[in-house]
Amino acid sequence: MRKLIVAGNWKMNTTVPEGVELAKAIVEKAKGLPAGVELVVAPPFTHLASVADVLKGSKVCLSAQNCADHEKGAYTGEVAVSMLTSIGCQYTILGHSERRQYYGETDEKLVVKTKLALEAGLKVILCVGENLDEREAGKHFDVVTAQTKNVLYHFTADDLKNVVIAYEPVWAIGTGKTATAAQAEEIHACIRSVIAEKFGAAVAEDMTILYGGSCKPSNAKELFAEKDIDGGLIGGAALKADDFLGIAESF
Ligand code: PGA
């Protein structure tokens, strides 16, 4: 069975006290959420331990936004997967377009990070998506296919049980410009076929594929109604508990 997930990527927003308050509000409101939808929050590293305390005993899962590409050692400023699991982190986002664009994240590095995360028992939310130039040049299917293959084809069908994909067209992130449900669906279906090609139809069917990019309560219903869209990776709208839960109630 495919899992439905709504994950909130807080990016570099909120102070620790503000993040704790936001997490508390999400936990409170999540009590009314029907079973079958998993909520995930991804605060900045500094917030993780405090937010983990807030989430204890709730249905909300904790995610990091990134992890190091080494196990431990002299890598100033980096955070290892073992540090994340030690405070109860269950997920990490990897390959967000902002990391690819501003911090030189490559598919090769993502293979290493994904391997470390999975070995440590972390689930991975792997982001893929084309930028505006690539879409306008009609290359969006090729870009997303390559990003998916370049990372996931290094893993096994068993590994994929702990991987979620997030399709996030870069031109839709933080711009207020959402992909139409039809535009998102055709890419989600493409990603699923890329997975089926290597791992078989059953594995592809079970894969959770999220949409991200200006997703909000007013457009989530239409997006989530598509057969290959299994939830969302939410940026801006994840910073308000009401909006975040509004999206989670859109299935
Ligand atoms: P957005 O960000 O919802 O603010 O567009 C989504 C993301 O980058 O994960």
Side-chain angles (χ1 to χ4, degrees):
M1 252 305 271
R2 232 187 263 172
K3 204 189 266 182
L4 305 176
I5 299 174
V6 173
N9 175 10
W10 296 5
K11 307 192 180 183
M12 199 172 73
N13 292 298
T14 73
T15 61
V16 175
E18 287 165 354
V20 165
E21 285 313 306
L22 175 58
K24 281 183 184 164
I26 289 170
V27 165
E28 199 44 45
K29 288 175 199 294
K31 287 179 183 159
L33 196 66
V37 180
E38 184 165 289
L39 280 189
V40 180
V41 292
F45 285 133
T46 44
H47 301 37
L48 289 171
S50 312
V51 170
D53 284 341
V54 176
L55 302 186
K56 248 176 222 147
S58 80
K59 326 183 204 175
V60 185
C61 297
L62 185 63
S63 176
Q65 297 175 15
N66 183 31
C67 70
D69 56 347
H70 293 276
E71 256 175 274
K72 63 174 181 177
Y75 301 101
T76 303
E78 291 295 304
V79 176
V81 288
S82 59
M83 300 171 188
L84 299 174
T85 54
S86 74
I87 52 103
C89 223
Q90 294 129 298
Y91 280 91
T92 184
I93 296 172
L94 287 177
H96 190 280
S97 62
E98 287 149 17
R99 297 225 47 97
R100 292 179 189 259
Q101 195 179 342
Y102 309 135
Y103 301 98
E105 191 93 292
T106 60
D107 288 338
E108 291 72 29
K109 255 199 183 153
L110 289 170
V111 173
V112 175
K113 291 185 177 192
T114 302
K115 192 163 185 292
L116 287 169
L118 293 177
E119 280 171 2
L122 276 180
K123 294 178 190 159
V124 171
I125 300 174
L126 176 72
C127 304
V128 296
E130 81 287 357
N131 63 32
L132 187 59
D133 286 349
E134 290 162 342
R135 173 148 294 252
E136 284 175 347
K139 291 185 185 152
H140 39 297
F141 288 104
D142 292 345
V143 169
V144 170
T145 297
Q147 288 174 336
T148 305
K149 284 187 178 180
N150 289 347
V151 180
L152 291 190
Y153 278 21
H154 292 268
F155 294 90
T156 65
D158 229 31
D159 291 330
L160 262 55
K161 288 181 187 151
N162 291 312
V163 176
V164 171
I165 297 178
Y167 167 58
E168 301 203 301
V170 179
W171 46 273
I173 295 178
T175 57
K177 227 179 178 185
T178 325
T180 63
Q183 281 174 324
E185 169 58 23
E186 61 180 6
I187 299 280
H188 282 232
C190 164
I191 293 169
R192 215 176 286 289
S193 72
V194 169
I195 294 164
E197 204 180 296
K198 165 115 176 146
F199 301 99
V203 173
E205 265 310 301
D206 279 353
M207 191 87 200
T208 297
I209 308 178
L210 310 179
Y211 168 79
S214 300
C215 185
K216 41 190 181 266
S218 59
N219 59 27
K221 213 179 192 77
E222 198 188 343
L223 287 158
F224 296 175
E226 296 292 339
K227 75 175 176 32
D228 290 298
I229 303 182
D230 312 312
L233 179 56
I234 318 300
L239 296 171
K240 290 206 179 95
D242 281 334
D243 287 350
F244 188 54
L245 267 294
I247 293 169
E249 282 156 7
S250 300
F251 287 102

